[in-house]
Amino acid sequence: MKKIIYIIGTILVLLNIAVTSLLSSISLSNMLSSTLILIITFILVLVSQSSNMRDGFRVSLIFLLLFIGFVQYVLALIMPDYIKDNWVLITMLILFALSIISLVIGKITSKHHNQLN
């Protein structure tokens, strides 16, 4: 499964770089932020895949991480180029924090559950 995640992640990152480079309406900052979102999302998916969580919880967490990553990716493409008062960037950071919190809660919950059994 990890090989598939690596292959899909690499293909999506390369495709993102190629397509956003060809589109004149996408700025360099949008290309970099969308590529970074893809890389971070697939790293989080790899971490959740390699953890010792229960299967149902792991699958649900992976779908949640992929959904949040997709929303962040769309936001990265429409994000304005400025940093101050950038509500899209703030939303992306909140979603990133939500992803990390979900991953940590999943690991703690599964660790606690494994100790009970």
Side-chain angles (χ1 to χ4, degrees):
M1 185 71 168
K2 284 185 186 180
K3 285 184 181 182
I4 293 172
I5 294 173
Y6 283 123
I7 292 170
I8 291 173
T10 304
I11 289 171
L12 287 177
V13 167
L14 293 175
L15 182 65
N16 179 62
I17 292 171
V19 170
T20 54
S21 297
L22 294 173
L23 296 174
S24 61
S25 62
I26 305 287
S27 68
L28 179 63
S29 64
N30 292 78
M31 181 186 77
L32 294 175
S33 61
S34 62
T35 303
L36 184 63
I37 291 297
L38 285 173
I39 292 169
I40 289 172
T41 299
F42 281 101
I43 288 172
L44 292 175
V45 168
L46 280 171
V47 168
S48 66
Q49 177 64 29
S50 64
S51 67
N52 59 354
M53 290 184 233
R54 303 185 95 202
D55 289 337
F57 194 78
R58 185 182 315 135
V59 170
S60 301
L61 183 60
I62 288 173
F63 278 116
L64 176 68
L65 292 173
L66 290 174
F67 177 74
I68 290 174
F70 176 74
V71 171
Q72 286 178 317
Y73 179 78
V74 171
L75 290 174
L77 291 177
I78 63 170
M79 182 175 66
D81 287 336
Y82 53 87
I83 299 293
K84 275 206 177 272
D85 299 327
N86 189 339
W87 289 102
V88 176
L89 180 60
I90 293 168
T91 305
M92 288 170 49
L93 291 173
I94 291 170
L95 288 172
F96 176 69
L98 181 66
S99 297
I100 298 296
I101 290 168
S102 300
L103 189 60
V104 169
I105 288 174
K107 285 187 166 249
I108 290 171
T109 304
S110 64
K111 182 179 179 182
H112 178 69
H113 180 74
N114 289 337
Q115 289 175 351
L116 291 177
N117 288 335

